[in-house]
Amino acid sequence: MMVQVHRSKSTAGGLSICKKAFKIIAIVGFITISIVYYFHPSDIDTSVHGVSIKEEQQELISANDIVNDPTDGDGDGDGEGNAKNEVILGKEAIVRTTMGDIRIQLFPEDTPKTVENFSGHARSGYYDNVIFHRVIKGFMIQTGDPRGNGTGGKSIWGGEFEDEFVKSLRHDRKFTVSMANAGPNTNGSQFFITTVPCPWLDDMHTVFGRVTKGMDVVTKIESVKVNKMDKPYEEVSILSVDIIS
């Protein structure tokens, strides 16, 4: 299952991925051959992880690339035991990174399960030393994968959990904290912080927080040099996450 964050063709942050399609249809007898060529001026290869691009959708950028395998228990800190203990939902979180602290307001009343998952992982140390494995300037910074390569991470219950879409919590501003997923109701541990408004993500990804302090830290992380897979050349990591109830 491929986890994706959808990136629009154009955003206020200067994102622009132009797609030109030329379709040549040759009909020979009862056979129709359609050849479609897509040209992406961006250096981001959307086909690297088998991301299909549908005409009716926005340009797809695989900003997560996690494969959720509920039977995979080979040491990526799945946190299956966390749910056995009572989890006190946090109201705020301080994400301490190697580039500074990011303070986040959480929304436990609106997104209780998502905040419970985040709080449980934070308190158990699940996010400690986890890197920001995907950084796209003018879009978002992403973390939460204990493997650090975009192929790991589960919920505190050991699998996936449902979305919690709220009309008052939208991707209508930068510094929005949201869950990455592989489609409806497939949330695990990975999350991202937007650096521009991303309205096309509404009702696709659960917003569960807003950055209230440390916006400059988010901007610094967003500005690091990355490779063609959007992974920083020099690691930027979460040191720990403090939950404030």
Side-chain angles (χ1 to χ4, degrees):
M1 188 180 300
M2 189 71 65
V3 172
Q4 302 164 347
V5 174
H6 298 66
R7 179 178 177 181
S8 72
K9 296 179 181 178
S10 176
T11 71
L15 292 177
S16 178
I17 295 183
C18 301
K19 180 177 70 178
K20 298 181 180 178
F22 299 91
K23 191 171 184 180
I24 303 173
I25 301 177
I27 301 177
V28 180
F30 296 103
I31 301 175
T32 300
I33 302 175
S34 300
I35 303 173
V36 181
Y37 293 91
Y38 290 93
F39 297 90
H40 298 273
S42 167
D43 62 353
I44 300 172
D45 185 353
T46 60
S47 66
V48 170
H49 303 284
V51 180
S52 61
I53 300 176
K54 298 180 180 179
E55 293 180 357
E56 68 272 15
Q57 294 179 332
Q58 298 286 356
E59 202 66 47
L60 300 186
I61 294 297
S62 178
N64 214 260
D65 306 326
I66 171 179
V67 177
N68 288 325
D69 182 0
T71 64
D72 185 2
D74 58 354
D76 76 0
D78 295 332
E80 293 180 340
N82 294 351
K84 296 179 181 179
N85 301 319
E86 181 181 357
V87 177
I88 300 174
L89 302 187
K91 294 182 179 179
E92 288 186 286
I94 302 175
V95 180
R96 303 191 186 279
T97 79
T98 52
M99 297 189 77
D101 294 350
I102 303 170
R103 194 178 189 104
I104 298 171
Q105 176 188 0
L106 302 174
F107 303 109
E109 294 183 0
D110 294 309
T111 57
K113 194 147 192 175
T114 307
V115 173
E116 179 181 0
N117 181 68
F118 181 80
S119 298
H121 276 331
R123 289 192 174 102
S124 72
Y126 189 91
Y127 289 134
D128 295 1
N129 302 311
V130 169
I131 66 171
F132 286 84
H133 68 274
R134 204 77 187 269
V135 173
I136 302 178
K137 188 174 178 60
F139 182 28
M140 60 91 208
I141 61 176
Q142 187 162 352
T143 183
D145 174 12
R147 292 181 181 173
N149 62 6
T151 63
K154 296 180 181 179
S155 75
I156 61 173
W157 302 282
E160 300 166 344
F161 66 97
E162 63 271 19
D163 299 316
E164 294 180 301
F165 301 140
V166 180
K167 292 299 181 183
S168 60
L169 297 177
R170 318 302 280 173
H171 300 82
D172 57 355
R173 67 198 77 175
K174 57 184 178 179
F175 306 123
T176 292
V177 186
S178 187
M179 292 295 293
N181 59 45
N185 305 312
T186 58
N187 299 288
S189 67
Q190 295 193 40
F191 63 95
F192 60 96
I193 302 174
T194 65
T195 59
V196 295
C198 303
W200 65 91
L201 299 181
D202 291 343
D203 298 322
M204 296 176 65
H205 298 269
T206 298
V207 173
F208 67 97
R210 306 272 193 204
V211 175
T212 56
K213 290 183 180 179
M215 290 84 159
D216 59 323
V217 177
V218 176
T219 300
K220 283 193 294 185
I221 296 173
E222 178 197 23
S223 300
V224 301
K225 293 183 178 180
V226 299
N227 61 24
K228 290 185 178 180
M229 298 297 293
D230 304 312
K231 186 173 185 177
Y233 285 112
E234 295 186 11
E235 288 189 354
V236 181
S237 304
I238 295 175
L239 299 175
S240 63
V241 180
D242 298 337
I243 297 296
I244 303 171
S245 300

